[in-house]
Amino acid sequence: AKAPVITATSVSPDGNGTVTITGNYFSKATAVSIGGIPATFRAVNSDTRITAVFAGVSGDLAVTTAGGTGTFSSVIVRINEVITFPAIAVHIYGDDDISLAAVSNNNGIPIIYSIDQPGVAVLTGSKLHIVNAGTVTVTASQAGDEVNNAAKSVAQIITINKKSLTVTAKDVLRPFGQVNPVFSVGYEGFVNGDDESKLTALPAASSTATELS
């Protein structure tokens, strides 16, 4: 048996890791590798053609048969990074920080987040701290490198609803025959050190009681 002779390689531009290898004496190939890393799939289409699939990898390509090993120098296989970023539930002002949980098929390059409304939330790494009610778009991105094509960015819109307050008129005593005093109110539900100064309009308390009630 003769050793394989590799005359050309063609890497798919689709980023799926497919490599077409052409040459001679490929029958009964027992191994196909790039840079010593074996193909995740290989098919000997004929004595002159092999189709193989790799993860992102670079180096010399080798085809091994019973007759020996043939090589082809400097092959680079780039694969597409794919980000999965689950939808994020509606939150309420005052909730704990939101953990952003995008994942990728490539764990070797970090996912980077960005936001469009810093007045609604503050981003620190993969944590989102709510500072106001509103909507904020969070975008997950991932850069590429020699053997990975940059991922297509994925965005999620997060809705932050207003926090509900309970406003209660404070009890007062009024002597019979006198007009009602000015009523004051108490609040329950403020968070993050907020108080009534944050309200756009202050509530007013009144009573249907009269001097003769």
Side-chain angles (χ1 to χ4, degrees):
K2 294 183 178 180
V5 176
I6 304 170
T7 57
T9 62
S10 176
V11 179
S12 170
D14 294 336
N16 58 17
T18 301
V19 181
T20 302
I21 307 162
T22 54
N24 293 287
Y25 315 121
F26 291 160
S27 294
K28 298 182 180 180
T30 57
V32 179
S33 63
I34 294 177
I37 299 175
T40 58
F41 169 83
R42 70 173 188 272
V44 180
N45 308 119
S46 68
D47 193 51
T48 61
R49 177 186 171 102
I50 292 174
T51 301
V53 177
F54 293 88
V57 67
S58 66
D60 292 347
L61 184 145
V63 174
T64 300
T65 69
T69 298
T71 61
F72 194 92
S73 63
S74 302
V75 176
I76 300 175
V77 180
R78 294 183 176 88
I79 62 167
N80 294 331
E81 295 172 332
V82 179
I83 292 174
T84 301
F85 193 7
I88 300 171
V90 173
H91 279 69
I92 298 173
Y93 175 69
D95 282 354
D96 292 338
D97 290 354
I98 302 170
S99 295
L100 305 175
V103 296
S104 170
N105 60 337
N106 175 26
N107 296 324
I109 298 175
I111 293 174
I112 303 299
Y113 298 98
S114 61
I115 60 174
D116 68 339
Q117 295 293 338
V120 175
V122 174
L123 181 65
T124 303
S126 61
K127 295 282 188 180
L128 197 65
H129 177 66
I130 299 169
V131 297
N132 212 334
T135 59
V136 57
T137 300
V138 182
T139 302
S141 304
Q142 188 177 33
D145 59 16
E146 182 187 19
V147 295
N148 294 280
N149 294 320
K152 181 179 179 181
S153 296
V154 180
Q156 293 289 355
I157 298 174
I158 306 174
T159 298
I160 312 298
N161 286 334
K162 293 181 179 180
K163 171 77 172 178
S164 296
L165 293 177
T166 300
V167 181
T168 305
K170 295 181 179 179
D171 293 336
V172 294
L173 294 175
R174 186 213 69 192
F176 181 78
Q178 295 187 10
V179 298
N180 292 330
V182 175
F183 296 103
S184 61
V185 299
Y187 301 89
E188 291 183 11
F190 280 120
V191 294
N192 297 337
D194 293 342
D195 56 29
E196 61 268 26
S197 65
K198 292 287 188 177
L199 301 178
T200 55
L202 293 177
S206 62
S207 174
T208 58
T210 68
E211 292 92 329
L212 302 179
S213 297

